[in-house]
Amino acid sequence: MTTKFKTLEKILNSGDFTITAEISPPLSAGPTELEAKIDLLKGSVHAINITDNPGATAHISSLAGSVIVLNKGINPILQMTCRDRNRLAIQSELMGASALGIRNVLALSGDPIRVGNQPDAKAVFDINSKTLLSIIEDMNSKGQTMAGRELLTKAEFFPGAAAIVHDPEIDWDPKKLSNKAKAGAKFIQTQFCFDVELLTRYMDRIVASGLSEQLYFIVGIGPLRSEKSAKWMKDKLFGTVMPDNIVSRMAQAKDQVQEGIDICAELIDQFREIPGVHGVHLMAPRNLSAIARTVAKTGIKI
């Protein structure tokens, strides 16, 4: 399958500041609802992640959703968790994704089953996300399956992994990120970070370690919808960096949706100046329409 758009890999390689966004696929057995969500983002982002049964609840598959994104003329990023598949299913799905023209894959562990609405489901975790990355690398470089069987056509995946931005301790060694790079990861998408100073300290260490030359860092952020959502993210959403001043600013705003857009656009502008940051990953649950307005406010052209 040929594409008319520049691939995510080429965009990042070119040095352009990259905008990705995330869609949680709907509870639907048809494409219409997902297509409507994609339309809200088209022209405002370089690539769209389709989450893989987020919150350990069943949705349209990430593979099917990624194909729908591709058919809309946008780079899809296939999210693949180790929670729901054994190694056979993972390899089969990767081969299928490649055959369908999907190149970008984000390797994840997956939310724990207990947070979902079917706690009796059995988590698989036959392999971990680092092993998933190594499977992708072998399909790319060796043209082999995990068992060493030859693929008739090699894969050409552009694999990524996830990270959490944090305030690094003096002796912090980004070993986990280094291991992901060694396993084949080419880009990193992070959890939400709304703290410029903390992100600067984190990226200073990433740059000093040399990892910013091995991995493209795409920092998670998004237009907040309300003070309530900011507080929930700060208190309940694992890995989120949400300073008190952001929550206060949302609380004081007369139009909280617009304030969320303004905050996000301002932070993106500041993130662009931080060495080692190659882009942002926009997440806006139940506020997807605000993403286009946010990107427009930054002046970034897609």
Side-chain angles (χ1 to χ4, degrees):
M1 181 182 293
T2 58
T3 58
K4 297 180 180 179
F5 50 82
K6 188 184 290 187
T7 66
L8 178 62
E9 182 176 11
K10 286 183 178 179
I11 293 165
L12 287 164
N13 284 343
S14 73
D16 289 346
F17 194 79
T18 302
I19 307 287
T20 63
E22 182 170 294
I23 292 177
S24 177
L27 294 170
S28 176
T32 306
E33 296 86 355
L34 180 54
E35 288 173 339
K37 289 186 173 186
I38 296 166
D39 286 342
L40 292 174
L41 299 178
K42 191 168 185 178
S44 298
V45 301
H46 293 105
I48 296 175
N49 288 51
I50 297 295
T51 57
D52 184 14
N53 286 345
T57 59
H59 294 71
I60 288 177
S61 73
S62 183
L63 177 58
S66 294
V67 172
I68 293 171
V69 171
L70 190 64
N71 289 340
K72 282 282 190 175
I74 307 173
N75 274 296
I77 300 176
L78 170 71
Q79 290 193 188
M80 181 173 288
T81 68
C82 299
R83 179 195 58 222
D84 301 333
R85 307 167 183 81
N86 67 13
R87 65 191 67 191
L88 297 178
I90 282 172
Q91 291 171 93
S92 176
E93 192 157 319
L94 285 170
M95 284 186 268
S98 179
L100 290 167
I102 294 165
R103 297 291 173 256
N104 312 304
V105 182
L106 187 70
L108 301 167
S109 295
D111 297 320
I113 290 291
R114 67 176 182 275
V115 307
N117 58 3
Q118 298 180 71
D120 292 334
K122 291 185 178 180
V124 181
F125 293 116
D126 180 30
I127 60 172
N128 59 28
S129 59
K130 193 175 81 170
T131 303
L132 172 52
L133 286 168
S134 69
I135 290 172
I136 294 170
E137 174 62 21
D138 284 348
M139 286 187 171
N140 282 348
S141 60
K142 298 178 182 179
Q144 291 182 355
T145 67
M146 194 176 184
R149 296 188 67 186
E150 183 179 353
L151 299 175
L152 297 177
T153 300
K154 281 186 178 183
E156 296 179 351
F157 289 120
F158 186 58
I164 292 173
V165 177
H166 62 278
D167 208 351
E169 297 178 355
I170 294 174
D171 60 349
W172 179 58
D173 178 6
K175 185 176 180 180
K176 288 184 178 180
L177 284 171
S178 180
N179 286 339
K180 288 178 180 181
K182 290 175 183 176
K186 304 299 182 186
F187 69 94
I188 296 292
Q189 289 178 316
T190 80
Q191 179 58 290
F192 287 105
C193 178
F194 288 81
D195 190 323
V196 176
E197 293 181 0
L198 187 149
L199 178 62
T200 300
R201 293 192 295 272
Y202 178 82
M203 291 308 303
D204 281 348
R205 300 291 291 278
I206 293 295
V207 171
S209 73
L211 279 173
S212 62
E213 298 176 9
Q214 301 174 52
L215 295 164
Y216 294 107
F217 281 80
I218 304 173
V219 180
I221 195 171
L224 296 166
R225 188 176 56 157
S226 64
E227 174 199 5
K228 181 179 179 181
S229 61
K231 283 183 176 178
W232 182 87
M233 290 165 64
K234 178 180 175 63
D235 297 335
K236 303 291 186 180
L237 189 57
F238 176 74
T240 295
V241 178
M242 179 71 69
D244 290 334
N245 69 299
I246 298 293
V247 178
S248 298
R249 185 170 162 184
M250 288 296 293
Q252 295 165 14
K254 292 182 179 179
D255 184 341
Q256 294 192 349
V257 171
Q258 184 59 49
E259 190 70 13
I261 290 170
D262 292 345
I263 289 170
C264 188
E266 290 168 18
L267 289 173
I268 290 172
D269 286 340
Q270 293 176 71
F271 288 3
R272 293 172 74 179
E273 302 302 317
I274 300 174
V277 174
H278 302 96
V280 289
H281 179 53
L282 298 174
M283 298 171 278
R286 297 183 293 281
N287 195 28
L288 205 61
S289 61
I291 286 180
R293 292 164 62 190
T294 301
V295 176
K297 194 171 179 65
T298 69
I300 295 171
K301 304 299 182 184
I302 303 302

